[in-house]
Short mmCIF file of all heavy atoms in Angstrom, two decimals:
data_model
loop_
_atom_site.label_atom_id
_atom_site.label_comp_id
_atom_site.label_asym_id
_atom_site.label_seq_id
_atom_site.Cartn_x
_atom_site.Cartn_y
_atom_site.Cartn_z
N PRO C 104 26.69 -2.89 16.99
CA PRO C 104 26.67 -2.57 18.43
C PRO C 104 25.67 -1.50 18.79
O PRO C 104 25.26 -1.40 19.93
CB PRO C 104 28.10 -2.09 18.70
CG PRO C 104 28.57 -1.54 17.38
CD PRO C 104 27.91 -2.37 16.33
N THR C 105 25.26 -0.69 17.84
CA THR C 105 24.26 0.35 18.07
C THR C 105 23.80 0.87 16.72
O THR C 105 24.57 0.87 15.75
CB THR C 105 24.84 1.52 18.90
OG1 THR C 105 23.94 2.63 18.84
CG2 THR C 105 26.18 2.00 18.38
N SER C 106 22.57 1.31 16.64
CA SER C 106 22.04 1.79 15.35
C SER C 106 22.85 2.98 14.82
O SER C 106 22.95 3.19 13.62
CB SER C 106 20.58 2.19 15.51
OG SER C 106 20.46 3.24 16.44
N MET C 107 23.43 3.74 15.73
CA MET C 107 24.18 4.92 15.30
C MET C 107 25.40 4.53 14.46
O MET C 107 25.83 5.30 13.60
CB MET C 107 24.62 5.70 16.55
CG MET C 107 25.29 7.01 16.26
SD MET C 107 24.16 8.19 15.48
CE MET C 107 25.20 9.64 15.50
N TYR C 108 25.92 3.35 14.73
CA TYR C 108 27.07 2.85 13.96
C TYR C 108 26.70 2.74 12.48
O TYR C 108 27.54 2.86 11.59
CB TYR C 108 27.46 1.49 14.55
CG TYR C 108 28.58 0.76 13.87
CD1 TYR C 108 29.88 1.26 13.87
CD2 TYR C 108 28.35 -0.48 13.26
CE1 TYR C 108 30.91 0.56 13.27
CE2 TYR C 108 29.38 -1.18 12.67
CZ TYR C 108 30.66 -0.66 12.67
OH TYR C 108 31.68 -1.36 12.08
N LEU C 109 25.41 2.50 12.20
CA LEU C 109 24.96 2.28 10.82
C LEU C 109 24.31 3.51 10.17
O LEU C 109 24.00 3.48 8.99
CB LEU C 109 23.97 1.11 10.79
CG LEU C 109 24.55 -0.22 11.26
CD1 LEU C 109 23.45 -1.24 11.43
CD2 LEU C 109 25.59 -0.73 10.27
N ARG C 110 24.10 4.58 10.96
CA ARG C 110 23.41 5.75 10.39
C ARG C 110 24.14 6.28 9.16
O ARG C 110 23.51 6.58 8.13
CB ARG C 110 23.30 6.86 11.44
CG ARG C 110 22.52 8.07 10.95
CD ARG C 110 22.86 9.34 11.76
NE ARG C 110 24.26 9.71 11.60
CZ ARG C 110 24.83 10.77 12.14
NH1 ARG C 110 24.11 11.56 12.92
NH2 ARG C 110 26.11 11.03 11.95
N ASN C 111 25.45 6.42 9.25
CA ASN C 111 26.19 6.98 8.12
C ASN C 111 26.17 6.05 6.91
O ASN C 111 26.15 6.49 5.76
CB ASN C 111 27.64 7.29 8.51
CG ASN C 111 27.72 8.34 9.60
OD1 ASN C 111 26.72 8.99 9.90
ND2 ASN C 111 28.89 8.50 10.18
N LEU C 112 26.15 4.74 7.18
CA LEU C 112 26.06 3.77 6.08
C LEU C 112 24.71 3.92 5.37
O LEU C 112 24.64 3.92 4.14
CB LEU C 112 26.21 2.35 6.64
CG LEU C 112 26.25 1.22 5.62
CD1 LEU C 112 27.45 1.34 4.70
CD2 LEU C 112 26.27 -0.14 6.32
N MET C 113 23.64 4.09 6.16
CA MET C 113 22.31 4.29 5.55
C MET C 113 22.28 5.60 4.77
O MET C 113 21.69 5.68 3.69
CB MET C 113 21.23 4.28 6.62
CG MET C 113 19.83 4.43 6.05
SD MET C 113 18.55 4.25 7.31
CE MET C 113 17.08 4.52 6.30
N SER C 114 22.96 6.62 5.29
CA SER C 114 22.97 7.90 4.56
C SER C 114 23.71 7.76 3.24
O SER C 114 23.31 8.33 2.22
CB SER C 114 23.58 9.01 5.41
OG SER C 114 24.99 9.01 5.30
N MET C 115 24.78 6.96 3.25
CA MET C 115 25.54 6.76 2.00
C MET C 115 24.72 5.95 1.01
O MET C 115 24.70 6.25 -0.19
CB MET C 115 26.85 6.04 2.31
CG MET C 115 27.85 6.90 3.06
SD MET C 115 29.24 5.95 3.70
CE MET C 115 30.18 5.68 2.22
N ASP C 116 24.04 4.92 1.51
CA ASP C 116 23.17 4.10 0.66
C ASP C 116 22.10 4.99 0.02
O ASP C 116 21.88 4.98 -1.19
CB ASP C 116 22.55 2.99 1.53
CG ASP C 116 21.63 2.07 0.77
OD1 ASP C 116 21.55 2.19 -0.47
OD2 ASP C 116 20.96 1.24 1.41
N THR C 117 21.46 5.81 0.87
CA THR C 117 20.39 6.68 0.37
C THR C 117 20.95 7.65 -0.67
O THR C 117 20.39 7.80 -1.77
CB THR C 117 19.77 7.46 1.55
OG1 THR C 117 19.30 6.51 2.53
CG2 THR C 117 18.62 8.33 1.09
N GLU C 118 22.05 8.31 -0.35
CA GLU C 118 22.63 9.30 -1.28
C GLU C 118 22.98 8.65 -2.63
O GLU C 118 22.61 9.16 -3.69
CB GLU C 118 23.90 9.92 -0.67
CG GLU C 118 24.63 10.84 -1.65
CD GLU C 118 25.95 11.39 -1.10
OE1 GLU C 118 26.20 11.26 0.12
OE2 GLU C 118 26.71 11.94 -1.91
N GLU C 119 23.66 7.52 -2.56
CA GLU C 119 24.14 6.93 -3.82
C GLU C 119 22.98 6.36 -4.65
O GLU C 119 23.01 6.44 -5.88
CB GLU C 119 25.19 5.86 -3.53
CG GLU C 119 26.46 6.40 -2.88
CD GLU C 119 27.12 7.54 -3.67
OE1 GLU C 119 27.07 7.53 -4.90
OE2 GLU C 119 27.67 8.45 -3.02
N MET C 120 21.97 5.81 -4.01
CA MET C 120 20.82 5.29 -4.77
C MET C 120 20.02 6.43 -5.39
O MET C 120 19.48 6.31 -6.49
CB MET C 120 19.92 4.44 -3.86
CG MET C 120 20.49 3.09 -3.49
SD MET C 120 20.73 2.01 -4.94
CE MET C 120 22.47 2.05 -5.15
N LEU C 121 19.95 7.56 -4.67
CA LEU C 121 19.25 8.73 -5.23
C LEU C 121 20.00 9.28 -6.44
O LEU C 121 19.41 9.76 -7.40
CB LEU C 121 19.12 9.83 -4.17
CG LEU C 121 17.80 9.90 -3.40
CD1 LEU C 121 17.43 8.58 -2.78
CD2 LEU C 121 17.84 11.00 -2.34
N LYS C 122 21.33 9.21 -6.37
CA LYS C 122 22.13 9.75 -7.48
C LYS C 122 22.22 8.76 -8.64
O LYS C 122 22.27 9.15 -9.80
CB LYS C 122 23.54 10.10 -6.97
CG LYS C 122 23.54 11.29 -6.03
CD LYS C 122 24.87 11.99 -5.88
CE LYS C 122 25.92 11.21 -5.20
NZ LYS C 122 26.96 12.04 -4.56
N ALA C 123 22.24 7.46 -8.32
CA ALA C 123 22.49 6.47 -9.36
C ALA C 123 21.25 6.15 -10.20
O ALA C 123 21.37 5.83 -11.37
CB ALA C 123 23.01 5.17 -8.73
N GLN C 124 20.07 6.25 -9.58
CA GLN C 124 18.85 5.80 -10.27
C GLN C 124 18.07 7.01 -10.79
O GLN C 124 18.07 8.07 -10.18
CB GLN C 124 18.00 4.99 -9.28
CG GLN C 124 18.74 3.78 -8.74
CD GLN C 124 18.01 3.05 -7.63
OE1 GLN C 124 17.95 1.85 -7.62
NE2 GLN C 124 17.45 3.78 -6.71
N PRO C 125 17.38 6.82 -11.94
CA PRO C 125 16.68 7.97 -12.52
C PRO C 125 15.43 8.33 -11.74
O PRO C 125 14.51 7.50 -11.62
CB PRO C 125 16.32 7.47 -13.93
CG PRO C 125 16.26 5.99 -13.81
CD PRO C 125 17.25 5.60 -12.75
#
Side-chain angles (χ1 to χ4, degrees):
T105 167
S106 62
M107 186 65 173
Y108 177 65
L109 299 169
R110 184 202 63 178
N111 297 348
L112 184 63
M113 182 174 178
S114 85
M115 290 169 75
D116 180 7
T117 304
E118 174 184 347
E119 296 306 325
M120 287 296 106
L121 264 53
K122 291 200 292 205
Q124 301 173 136

